[in-house]
Amino acid sequence: MNPIAIDRLRGEVLEKAGLSPEVESAVLHSWELSHTERLTTSDGPLIFKCATEPFTHEHDNLIAAWQAGVNVPRIQATTRAPTILGMLMEDLGTPTREASDADGIAAAIQLHSSAAPDFLAPGDTEWLRSLPSRALRSLHLLQSERWEDTDDITVTLQQIEKAAPARAEGATLRPFGWVHSEFHPESLIVTADGRPFMFDFARAFRGPGLIDLASWQGTVDAPDPDRMRALLETYIDEGGPSQTLHDRGGLPVQNWALGWHRVWVLEWFLDQALLWIADPAIDPAYQRVVRRHATEAASLLRV
């Protein structure tokens, strides 16, 4: 993000919180679309985060989650322009340890059982069915501008697109509601009292909670359906809905969840490459990620 914009937004949220703009700051994370700092203020440590589109509604999501009783950092002040957001938040401190599968399950159950606000973007069966087509549209635009030698990705996505109407069935079975969408151990902080808190709600939507549970594995390693199945079984044992293990779209639930998660991720990477970052220098990396996710999705969804 632009350093001038970061300084301006930091000053605005501190002023709204009644705090001096003269603070010590330590950068926690920074990339093209968002920036996060820990501030040392007269009120103690606080977290400052700013972001550009498409992450400019995270404050609404965090406030709604907090109001629903979800363990999230509390918003202290915000400033908003049409294409940029600044937030001042409660500092949850340094994690006492890395979040475990048990922490992830506890956090997922809490989120998925909480009331989801109506303003969240919808992610129903039709939305899921549309993902391959939307990915193909973005891919075709990239191919017309700069992506070469990616016809194999087109073929794989067309196969997924053809199967999507049947494979998307079951999207609205429980758990359905809040989807964190960036749900992995690095998005949880385990506090000193052992409670897992979630952050990074910028892409939250209303849809199948199985997307979160599939996200927990990450996408660096090959998808592991057996591990996914074990996680889902424990999720039910700890209080998740019994419908969780129902087959969907003619597939075992673990394949369905991991497969559609890959489609959802690759569609996002295509949008990053086309719209939000659009840097030809990193196109090869995006192409590798999209190709791998498309191949994994096709295998998992058995198309």
Side-chain angles (χ1 to χ4, degrees), residues 147-211:
W147 277 30
E148 299 177 353
D149 300 323
T150 53
D151 289 345
D152 60 310
I153 301 176
T154 300
V155 172
T156 305
L157 286 177
Q158 286 173 337
Q159 293 170 341
I160 297 171
E161 179 186 40
K162 184 177 180 180
R167 291 293 186 250
E169 294 301 321
T172 57
L173 292 174
R174 296 182 67 198
F176 185 87
W178 273 104
V179 181
H180 180 281
S181 86
E182 299 287 345
F183 193 71
H184 45 74
E186 291 74 24
S187 291
L188 265 65
I189 288 181
V190 181
T191 56
D193 60 4
R195 290 185 298 162
F197 278 71
M198 287 170 278
F199 56 98
D200 281 348
F201 268 71
R203 299 184 65 213
F205 64 96
R206 183 185 182 92
L210 290 173
I211 296 293

Short mmCIF file of all heavy atoms in Angstrom, two decimals, residues 147-211:
data_model
loop_
_atom_site.label_atom_id
_atom_site.label_comp_id
_atom_site.label_asym_id
_atom_site.label_seq_id
_atom_site.Cartn_x
_atom_site.Cartn_y
_atom_site.Cartn_z
N TRP A 147 -1.44 -13.66 -20.68
CA TRP A 147 -1.17 -15.05 -20.26
C TRP A 147 -1.09 -15.95 -21.50
O TRP A 147 -2.10 -16.16 -22.18
CB TRP A 147 -2.27 -15.53 -19.32
CG TRP A 147 -2.06 -15.12 -17.89
CD1 TRP A 147 -1.44 -14.01 -17.45
CD2 TRP A 147 -2.49 -15.83 -16.73
NE1 TRP A 147 -1.45 -13.96 -16.09
CE2 TRP A 147 -2.09 -15.07 -15.61
CE3 TRP A 147 -3.18 -17.01 -16.51
CZ2 TRP A 147 -2.35 -15.46 -14.30
CZ3 TRP A 147 -3.45 -17.41 -15.22
CH2 TRP A 147 -3.02 -16.64 -14.12
N GLU A 148 0.08 -16.51 -21.74
CA GLU A 148 0.28 -17.44 -22.85
C GLU A 148 0.49 -18.86 -22.30
O GLU A 148 0.79 -19.04 -21.13
CB GLU A 148 1.48 -17.01 -23.68
CG GLU A 148 1.34 -15.62 -24.31
CD GLU A 148 2.59 -15.19 -25.07
OE1 GLU A 148 3.61 -15.93 -25.00
OE2 GLU A 148 2.55 -14.14 -25.73
N ASP A 149 0.31 -19.82 -23.17
CA ASP A 149 0.57 -21.22 -22.82
C ASP A 149 -0.23 -21.68 -21.61
O ASP A 149 0.28 -22.37 -20.71
CB ASP A 149 2.07 -21.45 -22.58
CG ASP A 149 2.92 -21.11 -23.80
OD1 ASP A 149 2.46 -21.38 -24.92
OD2 ASP A 149 4.01 -20.54 -23.61
N THR A 150 -1.49 -21.26 -21.55
CA THR A 150 -2.36 -21.66 -20.43
C THR A 150 -3.64 -22.33 -20.93
O THR A 150 -4.64 -22.38 -20.21
CB THR A 150 -2.71 -20.44 -19.55
OG1 THR A 150 -3.25 -19.40 -20.38
CG2 THR A 150 -1.50 -19.92 -18.81
N ASP A 151 -3.61 -22.84 -22.15
CA ASP A 151 -4.80 -23.51 -22.68
C ASP A 151 -5.18 -24.74 -21.87
O ASP A 151 -6.36 -25.12 -21.80
CB ASP A 151 -4.58 -23.92 -24.14
CG ASP A 151 -4.54 -22.72 -25.08
OD1 ASP A 151 -4.97 -21.62 -24.66
OD2 ASP A 151 -4.09 -22.88 -26.23
N ASP A 152 -4.19 -25.38 -21.25
CA ASP A 152 -4.50 -26.54 -20.42
C ASP A 152 -5.37 -26.16 -19.22
O ASP A 152 -6.24 -26.94 -18.80
CB ASP A 152 -3.20 -27.21 -19.93
CG ASP A 152 -2.34 -26.26 -19.11
OD1 ASP A 152 -2.08 -25.12 -19.55
OD2 ASP A 152 -1.91 -26.65 -18.00
N ILE A 153 -5.15 -24.96 -18.67
CA ILE A 153 -6.00 -24.48 -17.56
C ILE A 153 -7.42 -24.29 -18.07
O ILE A 153 -8.40 -24.65 -17.38
CB ILE A 153 -5.45 -23.18 -16.96
CG1 ILE A 153 -4.02 -23.38 -16.44
CG2 ILE A 153 -6.36 -22.70 -15.83
CD1 ILE A 153 -3.37 -22.11 -15.91
N THR A 154 -7.58 -23.74 -19.26
CA THR A 154 -8.90 -23.56 -19.85
C THR A 154 -9.64 -24.89 -19.95
O THR A 154 -10.81 -25.00 -19.56
CB THR A 154 -8.78 -22.93 -21.25
OG1 THR A 154 -8.14 -21.66 -21.15
CG2 THR A 154 -10.15 -22.75 -21.88
N VAL A 155 -8.96 -25.90 -20.45
CA VAL A 155 -9.59 -27.20 -20.62
C VAL A 155 -10.05 -27.77 -19.27
O VAL A 155 -11.18 -28.27 -19.14
CB VAL A 155 -8.62 -28.18 -21.31
CG1 VAL A 155 -9.18 -29.60 -21.31
CG2 VAL A 155 -8.34 -27.74 -22.74
N THR A 156 -9.20 -27.68 -18.27
CA THR A 156 -9.55 -28.21 -16.95
C THR A 156 -10.74 -27.46 -16.36
O THR A 156 -11.68 -28.07 -15.83
CB THR A 156 -8.35 -28.12 -15.99
OG1 THR A 156 -7.23 -28.78 -16.57
CG2 THR A 156 -8.68 -28.77 -14.65
N LEU A 157 -10.74 -26.13 -16.46
CA LEU A 157 -11.85 -25.36 -15.93
C LEU A 157 -13.13 -25.63 -16.70
O LEU A 157 -14.23 -25.62 -16.11
CB LEU A 157 -11.51 -23.87 -15.95
CG LEU A 157 -10.52 -23.39 -14.89
CD1 LEU A 157 -10.21 -21.90 -15.07
CD2 LEU A 157 -11.06 -23.65 -13.49
N GLN A 158 -13.04 -25.86 -17.99
CA GLN A 158 -14.24 -26.19 -18.77
C GLN A 158 -14.83 -27.53 -18.31
O GLN A 158 -16.06 -27.68 -18.26
CB GLN A 158 -13.91 -26.23 -20.26
CG GLN A 158 -13.69 -24.87 -20.87
CD GLN A 158 -13.19 -24.92 -22.31
OE1 GLN A 158 -12.61 -25.93 -22.74
NE2 GLN A 158 -13.40 -23.85 -23.06
N GLN A 159 -13.98 -28.47 -17.97
CA GLN A 159 -14.47 -29.75 -17.45
C GLN A 159 -15.18 -29.56 -16.11
O GLN A 159 -16.24 -30.15 -15.86
CB GLN A 159 -13.29 -30.72 -17.30
CG GLN A 159 -12.66 -31.15 -18.61
CD GLN A 159 -11.35 -31.90 -18.42
OE1 GLN A 159 -10.73 -31.81 -17.35
NE2 GLN A 159 -10.93 -32.63 -19.44
N ILE A 160 -14.60 -28.71 -15.26
CA ILE A 160 -15.24 -28.43 -13.96
C ILE A 160 -16.55 -27.68 -14.18
O ILE A 160 -17.57 -27.97 -13.52
CB ILE A 160 -14.29 -27.63 -13.06
CG1 ILE A 160 -13.02 -28.46 -12.76
CG2 ILE A 160 -14.98 -27.23 -11.76
CD1 ILE A 160 -11.93 -27.67 -12.04
N GLU A 161 -16.55 -26.73 -15.10
CA GLU A 161 -17.76 -25.96 -15.40
C GLU A 161 -18.89 -26.88 -15.85
O GLU A 161 -20.05 -26.71 -15.43
CB GLU A 161 -17.45 -24.93 -16.47
CG GLU A 161 -18.64 -24.07 -16.88
CD GLU A 161 -18.32 -23.16 -18.05
OE1 GLU A 161 -17.61 -23.62 -18.98
OE2 GLU A 161 -18.78 -22.01 -18.05
N LYS A 162 -18.58 -27.84 -16.70
CA LYS A 162 -19.60 -28.77 -17.20
C LYS A 162 -20.20 -29.60 -16.07
O LYS A 162 -21.41 -29.88 -16.06
CB LYS A 162 -18.98 -29.68 -18.26
CG LYS A 162 -19.97 -30.62 -18.92
CD LYS A 162 -19.29 -31.44 -20.00
CE LYS A 162 -20.29 -32.40 -20.66
NZ LYS A 162 -19.63 -33.21 -21.73
N ALA A 163 -19.38 -29.98 -15.10
CA ALA A 163 -19.85 -30.81 -14.00
C ALA A 163 -20.46 -30.00 -12.86
O ALA A 163 -21.10 -30.57 -11.97
CB ALA A 163 -18.69 -31.65 -13.46
N ALA A 164 -20.27 -28.68 -12.87
CA ALA A 164 -20.64 -27.84 -11.72
C ALA A 164 -22.11 -27.95 -11.31
O ALA A 164 -22.40 -27.99 -10.11
CB ALA A 164 -20.27 -26.39 -12.01
N PRO A 165 -23.09 -27.96 -12.24
CA PRO A 165 -24.48 -28.03 -11.79
C PRO A 165 -24.76 -29.23 -10.89
O PRO A 165 -25.49 -29.10 -9.90
CB PRO A 165 -25.26 -28.11 -13.12
CG PRO A 165 -24.40 -27.40 -14.10
CD PRO A 165 -22.99 -27.77 -13.71
N ALA A 166 -24.19 -30.38 -11.22
CA ALA A 166 -24.40 -31.56 -10.38
C ALA A 166 -23.54 -31.51 -9.13
O ALA A 166 -24.01 -31.83 -8.02
CB ALA A 166 -24.10 -32.83 -11.18
N ARG A 167 -22.29 -31.11 -9.26
CA ARG A 167 -21.37 -31.14 -8.13
C ARG A 167 -21.67 -30.06 -7.08
O ARG A 167 -21.24 -30.19 -5.93
CB ARG A 167 -19.93 -30.98 -8.64
CG ARG A 167 -19.43 -32.19 -9.43
CD ARG A 167 -19.30 -33.40 -8.52
NE ARG A 167 -18.68 -34.53 -9.21
CZ ARG A 167 -19.32 -35.63 -9.55
NH1 ARG A 167 -20.64 -35.75 -9.26
NH2 ARG A 167 -18.71 -36.62 -10.15
N ALA A 168 -22.37 -29.01 -7.44
CA ALA A 168 -22.66 -27.94 -6.48
C ALA A 168 -23.80 -28.28 -5.54
O ALA A 168 -24.02 -27.58 -4.54
CB ALA A 168 -22.98 -26.64 -7.22
N GLU A 169 -24.54 -29.34 -5.83
CA GLU A 169 -25.67 -29.69 -4.97
C GLU A 169 -25.19 -29.97 -3.55
O GLU A 169 -24.14 -30.57 -3.34
CB GLU A 169 -26.38 -30.93 -5.52
CG GLU A 169 -27.07 -30.70 -6.86
CD GLU A 169 -28.12 -29.59 -6.80
OE1 GLU A 169 -28.84 -29.52 -5.78
OE2 GLU A 169 -28.20 -28.79 -7.75
N GLY A 170 -25.99 -29.50 -2.60
CA GLY A 170 -25.67 -29.70 -1.19
C GLY A 170 -24.99 -28.52 -0.54
O GLY A 170 -24.65 -28.57 0.65
N ALA A 171 -24.81 -27.43 -1.28
CA ALA A 171 -24.09 -26.28 -0.74
C ALA A 171 -24.78 -25.67 0.47
O ALA A 171 -24.12 -25.10 1.35
CB ALA A 171 -23.91 -25.22 -1.82
N THR A 172 -26.11 -25.76 0.54
CA THR A 172 -26.83 -25.10 1.63
C THR A 172 -27.14 -26.03 2.80
O THR A 172 -27.82 -25.63 3.74
CB THR A 172 -28.14 -24.49 1.11
OG1 THR A 172 -28.95 -25.50 0.50
CG2 THR A 172 -27.86 -23.39 0.09
N LEU A 173 -26.62 -27.28 2.74
CA LEU A 173 -26.72 -28.12 3.93
C LEU A 173 -25.88 -27.53 5.05
O LEU A 173 -24.89 -26.84 4.81
CB LEU A 173 -26.22 -29.54 3.62
CG LEU A 173 -27.06 -30.39 2.65
CD1 LEU A 173 -26.33 -31.70 2.35
CD2 LEU A 173 -28.44 -30.67 3.24
N ARG A 174 -26.28 -27.79 6.28
CA ARG A 174 -25.49 -27.30 7.41
C ARG A 174 -24.12 -27.99 7.45
O ARG A 174 -24.01 -29.15 7.05
CB ARG A 174 -26.24 -27.55 8.71
CG ARG A 174 -27.55 -26.78 8.82
CD ARG A 174 -28.22 -27.02 10.16
NE ARG A 174 -27.43 -26.45 11.24
CZ ARG A 174 -27.56 -26.80 12.53
NH1 ARG A 174 -28.42 -27.76 12.88
NH2 ARG A 174 -26.83 -26.22 13.46
N PRO A 175 -23.09 -27.24 7.87
CA PRO A 175 -23.12 -25.86 8.38
C PRO A 175 -23.21 -24.85 7.23
O PRO A 175 -22.42 -24.92 6.29
CB PRO A 175 -21.78 -25.74 9.11
CG PRO A 175 -20.87 -26.69 8.38
CD PRO A 175 -21.73 -27.84 7.94
N PHE A 176 -24.15 -23.95 7.34
CA PHE A 176 -24.32 -22.91 6.33
C PHE A 176 -24.59 -21.60 7.06
O PHE A 176 -25.49 -21.52 7.90
CB PHE A 176 -25.50 -23.23 5.40
CG PHE A 176 -25.64 -22.26 4.25
CD1 PHE A 176 -24.94 -22.45 3.08
CD2 PHE A 176 -26.46 -21.15 4.37
CE1 PHE A 176 -25.04 -21.56 2.02
CE2 PHE A 176 -26.58 -20.24 3.33
CZ PHE A 176 -25.87 -20.45 2.15
N GLY A 177 -23.82 -20.57 6.73
CA GLY A 177 -23.95 -19.26 7.38
C GLY A 177 -22.63 -18.52 7.26
O GLY A 177 -22.12 -18.35 6.15
N TRP A 178 -22.08 -18.10 8.38
CA TRP A 178 -20.79 -17.43 8.37
C TRP A 178 -19.72 -18.31 7.70
O TRP A 178 -19.58 -19.50 8.02
CB TRP A 178 -20.31 -17.17 9.80
CG TRP A 178 -20.77 -15.92 10.46
CD1 TRP A 178 -21.74 -15.82 11.41
CD2 TRP A 178 -20.23 -14.59 10.27
NE1 TRP A 178 -21.84 -14.51 11.84
CE2 TRP A 178 -20.93 -13.74 11.16
CE3 TRP A 178 -19.24 -14.06 9.45
CZ2 TRP A 178 -20.67 -12.38 11.24
CZ3 TRP A 178 -18.98 -12.71 9.54
CH2 TRP A 178 -19.69 -11.87 10.41
N VAL A 179 -18.95 -17.74 6.81
CA VAL A 179 -17.74 -18.36 6.30
C VAL A 179 -16.62 -17.34 6.47
O VAL A 179 -16.67 -16.25 5.90
CB VAL A 179 -17.85 -18.77 4.81
CG1 VAL A 179 -16.55 -19.43 4.34
CG2 VAL A 179 -19.03 -19.70 4.59
N HIS A 180 -15.63 -17.69 7.28
CA HIS A 180 -14.52 -16.78 7.52
C HIS A 180 -13.73 -16.55 6.24
O HIS A 180 -13.37 -15.43 5.90
CB HIS A 180 -13.62 -17.39 8.60
CG HIS A 180 -12.43 -16.58 8.95
ND1 HIS A 180 -11.28 -16.56 8.17
CD2 HIS A 180 -12.16 -15.77 10.00
CE1 HIS A 180 -10.38 -15.78 8.73
NE2 HIS A 180 -10.88 -15.28 9.85
N SER A 181 -13.43 -17.64 5.53
CA SER A 181 -12.83 -17.68 4.20
C SER A 181 -11.30 -17.59 4.19
O SER A 181 -10.67 -17.92 3.18
CB SER A 181 -13.40 -16.62 3.25
OG SER A 181 -12.76 -15.39 3.38
N GLU A 182 -10.69 -17.15 5.27
CA GLU A 182 -9.22 -17.19 5.40
C GLU A 182 -8.88 -18.02 6.63
O GLU A 182 -8.00 -17.68 7.42
CB GLU A 182 -8.65 -15.78 5.53
CG GLU A 182 -8.93 -14.87 4.36
CD GLU A 182 -8.12 -15.23 3.13
OE1 GLU A 182 -7.14 -15.99 3.26
OE2 GLU A 182 -8.47 -14.74 2.04
N PHE A 183 -9.58 -19.15 6.77
CA PHE A 183 -9.56 -19.90 8.02
C PHE A 183 -8.39 -20.89 8.03
O PHE A 183 -8.46 -21.95 7.41
CB PHE A 183 -10.89 -20.64 8.19
CG PHE A 183 -11.11 -21.19 9.57
CD1 PHE A 183 -11.35 -20.34 10.64
CD2 PHE A 183 -11.06 -22.55 9.80
CE1 PHE A 183 -11.56 -20.84 11.91
CE2 PHE A 183 -11.26 -23.06 11.07
CZ PHE A 183 -11.51 -22.21 12.13
N HIS A 184 -7.33 -20.51 8.72
CA HIS A 184 -6.18 -21.38 8.88
C HIS A 184 -5.47 -21.01 10.18
O HIS A 184 -5.82 -19.98 10.81
CB HIS A 184 -5.23 -21.27 7.67
CG HIS A 184 -4.98 -19.86 7.23
ND1 HIS A 184 -4.17 -18.99 7.91
CD2 HIS A 184 -5.45 -19.18 6.15
CE1 HIS A 184 -4.14 -17.82 7.29
NE2 HIS A 184 -4.90 -17.90 6.22
N PRO A 185 -4.53 -21.79 10.66
CA PRO A 185 -3.93 -21.52 11.98
C PRO A 185 -3.36 -20.11 12.13
O PRO A 185 -3.39 -19.55 13.23
CB PRO A 185 -2.84 -22.58 12.08
CG PRO A 185 -3.36 -23.73 11.27
CD PRO A 185 -4.06 -23.09 10.11
N GLU A 186 -2.87 -19.52 11.03
CA GLU A 186 -2.28 -18.19 11.11
C GLU A 186 -3.33 -17.10 11.27
O GLU A 186 -2.98 -15.93 11.52
CB GLU A 186 -1.43 -17.91 9.87
CG GLU A 186 -0.15 -18.73 9.78
CD GLU A 186 -0.41 -20.18 9.40
OE1 GLU A 186 -1.47 -20.44 8.78
OE2 GLU A 186 0.41 -21.04 9.74
N SER A 187 -4.62 -17.43 11.14
CA SER A 187 -5.69 -16.45 11.32
C SER A 187 -6.36 -16.59 12.69
O SER A 187 -7.42 -16.02 12.93
CB SER A 187 -6.75 -16.60 10.22
OG SER A 187 -6.23 -16.20 8.98
N LEU A 188 -5.75 -17.38 13.58
CA LEU A 188 -6.23 -17.53 14.94
C LEU A 188 -5.13 -17.11 15.91
O LEU A 188 -3.95 -17.35 15.67
CB LEU A 188 -6.62 -18.98 15.24
CG LEU A 188 -8.09 -19.38 15.08
CD1 LEU A 188 -8.50 -19.27 13.63
CD2 LEU A 188 -8.32 -20.78 15.61
N ILE A 189 -5.53 -16.49 16.99
CA ILE A 189 -4.63 -16.20 18.10
C ILE A 189 -5.19 -16.89 19.34
O ILE A 189 -6.36 -16.67 19.70
CB ILE A 189 -4.51 -14.68 18.35
CG1 ILE A 189 -3.71 -14.01 17.23
CG2 ILE A 189 -3.85 -14.41 19.71
CD1 ILE A 189 -3.54 -12.51 17.42
N VAL A 190 -4.38 -17.73 19.95
CA VAL A 190 -4.78 -18.37 21.20
C VAL A 190 -4.30 -17.49 22.34
O VAL A 190 -3.09 -17.29 22.50
CB VAL A 190 -4.20 -19.80 21.31
CG1 VAL A 190 -4.66 -20.45 22.61
CG2 VAL A 190 -4.61 -20.64 20.11
N THR A 191 -5.23 -16.95 23.11
CA THR A 191 -4.87 -16.02 24.18
C THR A 191 -4.41 -16.77 25.43
O THR A 191 -4.46 -18.00 25.48
CB THR A 191 -6.08 -15.12 24.52
OG1 THR A 191 -7.20 -15.95 24.87
CG2 THR A 191 -6.47 -14.27 23.32
N ALA A 192 -3.96 -16.01 26.42
CA ALA A 192 -3.39 -16.62 27.63
C ALA A 192 -4.38 -17.52 28.36
O ALA A 192 -3.97 -18.47 29.03
CB ALA A 192 -2.90 -15.51 28.57
N ASP A 193 -5.70 -17.25 28.21
CA ASP A 193 -6.69 -18.09 28.88
C ASP A 193 -7.11 -19.28 28.02
O ASP A 193 -8.05 -20.01 28.36
CB ASP A 193 -7.93 -17.28 29.27
CG ASP A 193 -8.62 -16.63 28.08
OD1 ASP A 193 -8.19 -16.87 26.92
OD2 ASP A 193 -9.59 -15.88 28.29
N GLY A 194 -6.42 -19.49 26.89
CA GLY A 194 -6.67 -20.66 26.06
C GLY A 194 -7.75 -20.51 25.02
O GLY A 194 -8.06 -21.47 24.30
N ARG A 195 -8.34 -19.31 24.91
CA ARG A 195 -9.42 -19.11 23.94
C ARG A 195 -8.85 -18.74 22.57
O ARG A 195 -7.99 -17.87 22.48
CB ARG A 195 -10.38 -18.02 24.40
CG ARG A 195 -11.23 -18.39 25.60
CD ARG A 195 -12.22 -17.27 25.90
NE ARG A 195 -11.55 -16.02 26.24
CZ ARG A 195 -12.12 -14.82 26.21
NH1 ARG A 195 -13.39 -14.70 25.82
NH2 ARG A 195 -11.44 -13.75 26.56
N PRO A 196 -9.36 -19.38 21.50
CA PRO A 196 -8.94 -18.98 20.16
C PRO A 196 -9.76 -17.79 19.66
O PRO A 196 -10.99 -17.81 19.70
CB PRO A 196 -9.20 -20.22 19.31
CG PRO A 196 -10.32 -20.93 20.01
CD PRO A 196 -10.19 -20.60 21.48
N PHE A 197 -9.08 -16.75 19.21
CA PHE A 197 -9.72 -15.59 18.61
C PHE A 197 -9.40 -15.57 17.12
O PHE A 197 -8.29 -15.87 16.72
CB PHE A 197 -9.22 -14.29 19.25
CG PHE A 197 -9.89 -13.93 20.55
CD1 PHE A 197 -9.65 -14.66 21.70
CD2 PHE A 197 -10.76 -12.85 20.61
CE1 PHE A 197 -10.26 -14.33 22.89
CE2 PHE A 197 -11.37 -12.51 21.80
CZ PHE A 197 -11.13 -13.25 22.94
N MET A 198 -10.40 -15.18 16.31
CA MET A 198 -10.22 -15.09 14.87
C MET A 198 -10.02 -13.65 14.43
O MET A 198 -10.58 -12.74 15.02
CB MET A 198 -11.45 -15.65 14.16
CG MET A 198 -11.59 -17.15 14.22
SD MET A 198 -13.20 -17.73 13.61
CE MET A 198 -14.20 -17.45 15.08
N PHE A 199 -9.22 -13.47 13.40
CA PHE A 199 -9.12 -12.15 12.76
C PHE A 199 -9.06 -12.37 11.25
O PHE A 199 -9.33 -13.46 10.77
CB PHE A 199 -7.91 -11.37 13.30
CG PHE A 199 -6.59 -12.07 13.17
CD1 PHE A 199 -5.74 -11.79 12.12
CD2 PHE A 199 -6.18 -13.02 14.12
CE1 PHE A 199 -4.52 -12.43 11.99
CE2 PHE A 199 -4.95 -13.66 14.01
CZ PHE A 199 -4.13 -13.36 12.94
N ASP A 200 -8.75 -11.33 10.48
CA ASP A 200 -8.74 -11.41 9.01
C ASP A 200 -10.12 -11.80 8.46
O ASP A 200 -10.28 -12.82 7.78
CB ASP A 200 -7.69 -12.40 8.51
CG ASP A 200 -6.29 -11.81 8.51
OD1 ASP A 200 -6.17 -10.58 8.68
OD2 ASP A 200 -5.32 -12.57 8.35
N PHE A 201 -11.11 -10.95 8.72
CA PHE A 201 -12.48 -11.20 8.26
C PHE A 201 -12.80 -10.45 6.97
O PHE A 201 -13.97 -10.26 6.63
CB PHE A 201 -13.48 -10.79 9.34
CG PHE A 201 -13.86 -11.90 10.27
CD1 PHE A 201 -12.95 -12.37 11.21
CD2 PHE A 201 -15.11 -12.48 10.24
CE1 PHE A 201 -13.28 -13.39 12.08
CE2 PHE A 201 -15.47 -13.51 11.10
CZ PHE A 201 -14.55 -13.97 12.03
N ALA A 202 -11.80 -10.02 6.22
CA ALA A 202 -12.05 -9.15 5.08
C ALA A 202 -12.87 -9.81 3.98
O ALA A 202 -13.59 -9.14 3.25
CB ALA A 202 -10.72 -8.65 4.50
N ARG A 203 -12.76 -11.14 3.84
CA ARG A 203 -13.46 -11.83 2.76
C ARG A 203 -14.58 -12.72 3.27
O ARG A 203 -15.02 -13.65 2.58
CB ARG A 203 -12.47 -12.64 1.93
CG ARG A 203 -11.39 -11.80 1.26
CD ARG A 203 -10.52 -12.66 0.37
NE ARG A 203 -11.26 -13.20 -0.75
CZ ARG A 203 -11.03 -14.40 -1.30
NH1 ARG A 203 -10.09 -15.17 -0.83
NH2 ARG A 203 -11.76 -14.80 -2.33
N ALA A 204 -15.07 -12.46 4.47
CA ALA A 204 -16.15 -13.28 5.02
C ALA A 204 -17.39 -13.19 4.14
O ALA A 204 -17.67 -12.15 3.53
CB ALA A 204 -16.48 -12.81 6.44
N PHE A 205 -18.12 -14.29 4.05
CA PHE A 205 -19.37 -14.30 3.30
C PHE A 205 -20.34 -15.29 3.94
O PHE A 205 -20.03 -15.93 4.95
CB PHE A 205 -19.12 -14.62 1.82
CG PHE A 205 -18.56 -16.00 1.55
CD1 PHE A 205 -19.40 -17.05 1.20
CD2 PHE A 205 -17.20 -16.25 1.61
CE1 PHE A 205 -18.89 -18.32 0.92
CE2 PHE A 205 -16.68 -17.50 1.34
CZ PHE A 205 -17.53 -18.55 1.00
N ARG A 206 -21.53 -15.38 3.38
CA ARG A 206 -22.55 -16.30 3.89
C ARG A 206 -22.63 -17.48 2.94
O ARG A 206 -23.02 -17.33 1.79
CB ARG A 206 -23.90 -15.57 3.95
CG ARG A 206 -25.04 -16.40 4.54
CD ARG A 206 -26.34 -15.62 4.45
NE ARG A 206 -27.45 -16.35 5.03
CZ ARG A 206 -27.85 -16.24 6.29
NH1 ARG A 206 -27.22 -15.39 7.09
NH2 ARG A 206 -28.87 -16.94 6.75
N GLY A 207 -22.23 -18.65 3.41
CA GLY A 207 -22.19 -19.80 2.51
C GLY A 207 -21.91 -21.08 3.28
O GLY A 207 -22.15 -21.19 4.48
N PRO A 208 -21.36 -22.11 2.58
CA PRO A 208 -21.09 -23.39 3.21
C PRO A 208 -19.87 -23.33 4.13
O PRO A 208 -18.76 -23.03 3.69
CB PRO A 208 -20.84 -24.34 2.02
CG PRO A 208 -20.47 -23.45 0.89
CD PRO A 208 -21.11 -22.11 1.13
N GLY A 209 -20.09 -23.62 5.40
CA GLY A 209 -19.00 -23.60 6.37
C GLY A 209 -17.91 -24.60 6.06
O GLY A 209 -16.79 -24.48 6.59
N LEU A 210 -18.21 -25.58 5.22
CA LEU A 210 -17.18 -26.56 4.85
C LEU A 210 -16.01 -25.90 4.13
O LEU A 210 -14.90 -26.44 4.12
CB LEU A 210 -17.79 -27.64 3.95
CG LEU A 210 -18.77 -28.60 4.65
CD1 LEU A 210 -19.42 -29.51 3.64
CD2 LEU A 210 -18.07 -29.40 5.73
N ILE A 211 -16.24 -24.74 3.51
CA ILE A 211 -15.12 -24.01 2.88
C ILE A 211 -14.08 -23.66 3.94
O ILE A 211 -12.87 -23.75 3.70
CB ILE A 211 -15.64 -22.75 2.17
CG1 ILE A 211 -16.57 -23.11 1.01
CG2 ILE A 211 -14.49 -21.88 1.68
CD1 ILE A 211 -15.90 -23.81 -0.14
#
